[in-house]
Amino acid sequence: MNPYQIESLEQYFQVYNESVQNPEQFWGQLARDNFQWHKTWDRVLDWDFHKPEVKWFDGAQLNITENCIDRHLKNRAHKTAILFEPNNPKEPAQHITYKQLSEKVNRMANVLKEQNVQKGDRVCIYMPMIPELAVAVLACARIGAVHSVVFGGFSATALATRINDCDCKIVLTADGGFRGSKTISLKAIVDEALHDCPGVRKVLVCKRTQEQVVMQAGRDAWLEPLLEAANSDCPATIMEAEDPLFILYTSGSTGQPKGMVHSTAGYMVYTAYTFKNIFQYKEEDVYWCTADIGWITGHSYIVYGPLANGATTVMFEGVPSYPDFGRFWEIVEKHKVNQFYTAPTAIRALAKEKLEYVTKYDLSSLKVLGTVGEPINEEAWHWYDTHVGKHKSPIVDTWWQTETGGIMISPIPYCTPTTPTFATLPFIGIQPALRDAEGQEVFGKNVQGRLCIKFPWPSIARTIWGNHERYRETYFSTFPGNYFTGDGALRDSVGYYRITGRVDDVIIVSGHNLGTAPIEDAINEHPKVAESAIVGFPHDIKGNALYGFIILKEQASAEEQKALKAEINQQIALQIGPIAKLDKMQFVIGLPKTRSGKIMRRILRKITVGATDELGDTSTLLNPEVVDSIIEGAV
Ligand code: WTA
């Protein structure tokens, strides 16, 4: 029996039991048998969730790009590694083989070296979904530089915050990016961001949209000529298992975004292993994850997980609605995609359109469908199952987080029977626990609680960049001894998990995590705003949308209010990005607060859905009188 490839439910239970009874033995064997090391570890695992500290494969040496690229050159040199599908369907797709990928990555790595980028330096990558983005990520890994990819939809302010937080000296970007009928002027956004980033000394710019950009002498350079001139051989830097591989920012419920730090060996082993099993990838398959590499899903399941398995991974530049709502299915037919992984928000948007957009394409190549990023509602699940999977492709509802690095709870297709809206069973090695508000573990079946993980897994983020105390406080202080996910979940009569959503002040809008605090900060910066509170409310397509309750410093006429709403959304788009704009705004005279001054978002949430009979006792509030007026003005 090969534990690297799980092929039945029985085998899953057997391997699962082994992995929790004897984790060091299990992961050690798996890592030894399936990856290339320059030196193996002194110890498989060292951990203490109280400190907190986690080390996997400590003492081992490796380079992840040798595992993702070089080792495939023997048997897969001419196999497509990255299949690039451009935004415009008339532009030909690019099939980049492992050999070609190797050359590209080596050249890019040499370009970085020429710019004096060294092991441990942070490199900011702000690029559209073009092959150069994946190449840049891998080039950093090749030389041991720590990549920090910032999603191309983030604004200049958000980009500047992320560049400064981890002190990047160099930014890789493109002139612009295509997204549907729009172009995004990435270089111009970088220019704006860099006004506030004195540490950046170099910007390398890749050509994509051919739009006019301003190149600052001495600082900015075009990438293409540098790549052409660079040597196509760059020896991989030998990394320690626990050396940081990348930083990726995620929203917290308060304050600055958190730069989650992932390290090398554990991340590699876990993303590769989950990819192989959760998508049941077979050698000839074409796998497609529609995420952006700017998010963790793209890091783990477009780049590292698939490439570590020698897979063909599709990279799509565009959006599901361009040139029409059939675009995803057209691509599935064109490239005979076997595994398709997307977000519930995309499914809901497509399910609203005419069925013809799906039925006109041949989707018979599909074997596995996946979803990630937020709970999938039953209706969307059935639409996906019926119209895309034709009831023959199992749906893997994969629950995980930026912090977990890889998929944590998910069916294994063709092994685990699926149930709509349930992420089902923990993956190999994952030990979930549900806890009640007092911190007691809730055992047994048909129970609910806060979802925690009791034991480390190889790809857990090791810290928050520059702020280990925040890492401890955020994830390990609520339930001492456990990692707390911030999600609620229930466990049903067969032991399946269903994720019920966030229990903190993070709101997931169209699959993007948004913290309330940074949005409120952006609103409060408007000179006419005194205070604000954001809550999520259910939205047909986005899952959740944002509702802002805003106190103005002075009364405003209806006309002025209209203008203010537009200005406030503009302010949010500038500070964070268009994804954080509010769907609804209400100007209020006050916000319901506890006696200690904390905003009672629970009350606001009830008001947004009209559940005013469920407000509970409001008399203990500091200012109960505001509640009625908020209810009256609700939009
Ligand atoms: C939510 C994305 C329900 C959850 C990989 C989690 C989900 C947050 C699911 C992490 C799912 C992710 N079912 N909820 N299958 N997958 N979530 O960091 O609230 O962008 O905590 O990572 O998304 O979002 P993140």
Side-chain angles (χ1 to χ4, degrees), residues 57-72:
F57 310 111
D58 203 25
Q61 293 182 330
L62 74 157
N63 185 288
I64 195 168
T65 67
E66 290 181 328
N67 283 276
C68 288
I69 304 173
D70 302 45
R71 67 167 164 157
H72 305 312

Side-chain angles (χ1 to χ4, degrees), residues 37-183:
W37 307 89
H38 285 273
K39 173 175 171 286
T40 50
W41 41 92
D42 305 323
R43 265 192 87 165
V44 174
L45 173 64
D46 265 311
W47 70 292
D48 178 348
F49 270 176
H50 290 278
K51 257 182 178 172
E53 182 181 71
V54 179
K55 289 183 187 166
W56 281 92
F57 310 111
D58 203 25
Q61 293 182 330
L62 74 157
N63 185 288
I64 195 168
T65 67
E66 290 181 328
N67 283 276
C68 288
I69 304 173
D70 302 45
R71 67 167 164 157
H72 305 312
L73 295 178
K74 195 160 149 241
N75 299 320
R76 298 185 178 112
H78 303 294
K79 175 174 177 175
T80 301
I82 294 178
L83 202 174
F84 173 62
E85 175 64 31
N87 178 61
N88 179 353
K90 298 203 177 88
E91 192 185 321
Q94 286 178 38
H95 295 254
I96 301 168
T97 64
Y98 273 93
K99 184 155 182 290
Q100 290 164 334
L101 181 64
S102 169
E103 283 173 20
K104 284 176 188 288
V105 169
N106 278 272
R107 282 179 195 276
M108 184 80 86
N110 279 323
V111 167
L112 292 175
K113 273 186 160 171
E114 281 159 24
Q115 299 300 330
N116 201 24
V117 175
Q118 297 184 357
K119 182 178 169 189
D121 287 353
R122 278 78 57 209
V123 175
C124 175
I125 305 178
Y126 185 68
M127 278 189 165
M129 275 289 283
I130 54 176
E132 288 75 9
L133 166 55
V135 169
V137 160
L138 293 161
C140 289
R142 184 101 185 144
I143 61 168
V146 180
H147 54 79
S148 168
V149 182
V150 178
F151 172 59
F154 275 119
S155 70
T157 314
L159 174 61
T161 308
R162 287 159 176 76
I163 289 173
N164 289 331
D165 184 74
C166 65
D167 195 17
C168 298
K169 303 266 185 304
I170 182 165
V171 179
L172 304 186
T173 188
D175 48 0
F178 295 117
R179 268 181 81 75
S181 54
K182 291 193 227 152
T183 59

Side-chain angles (χ1 to χ4, degrees), residues 16 26 94 119 148 163 202-203 205 220 222 228 282 292 303-305 314 321 444 476 499 512 545 574 585:
Y16 181 82
F26 173 78
Q94 286 178 38
K119 182 178 169 189
S148 168
I163 289 173
K202 201 81 208 169
V203 180
V205 190
D220 303 349
W222 291 107
E228 261 168 49
K282 302 282 164 11
D292 192 289
V303 182
Y304 289 113
V314 175
S321 53
F476 298 94
I499 313 302
H512 302 317
L574 276 176
M585 278 183 233

Side-chain angles (χ1 to χ4, degrees), residues 249-251 295-297 301 341 344 371-376 396-404 406-407 409 421-423 485-488 498-503 506 508 511-513:
Y249 286 87
T250 186
S251 307
W295 307 113
I296 191 69
T297 307
Y301 299 110
Y341 191 27
T371 87
V372 59
E374 56 185 313
I376 180 164
V396 290
D397 177 351
T398 64
W399 173 83
W400 59 297
Q401 309 179 294
T402 304
E403 295 85 339
T404 68
I407 297 170
I409 304 184
T421 78
F422 282 78
T485 64
D487 283 325
R498 175 183 183 166
I499 313 302
T500 47
R502 302 290 310 184
V503 295
V506 171
I508 304 192
H512 302 317
N513 290 7

Side-chain angles (χ1 to χ4, degrees), residues 446-559:
N446 291 317
V447 289
Q448 306 213 23
R450 284 150 196 244
L451 180 60
C452 299
I453 314 289
K454 293 199 267 198
F455 193 85
W457 61 100
S459 64
I460 182 175
R462 304 298 198 257
T463 189
I464 291 175
W465 182 265
N467 199 344
H468 196 65
E469 174 50 24
R470 187 174 180 202
Y471 172 74
R472 189 194 65 75
E473 150 104 44
T474 310
Y475 304 106
F476 298 94
S477 70
T478 318
F479 302 108
N482 279 191
Y483 166 83
F484 176 43
T485 64
D487 283 325
L490 60 83
R491 188 166 51 224
D492 77 356
S493 58
V494 294
Y496 277 9
Y497 288 87
R498 175 183 183 166
I499 313 302
T500 47
R502 302 290 310 184
V503 295
D504 56 10
D505 289 335
V506 171
I507 306 171
I508 304 192
V509 178
S510 299
H512 302 317
N513 290 7
L514 299 172
T516 50
I519 303 175
E520 289 162 3
D521 290 347
I523 299 172
N524 298 350
E525 275 190 23
H526 191 289
K528 299 212 166 124
V529 171
E531 200 183 353
S532 60
I534 301 294
V535 297
F537 69 97
H539 185 280
D540 272 5
I541 293 176
K542 300 180 185 181
N544 295 294
L546 301 176
Y547 191 131
F549 295 88
I550 299 165
I551 308 175
L552 293 176
K553 287 182 182 157
E554 284 166 24
Q555 277 205 339
S557 67
E559 191 99 331

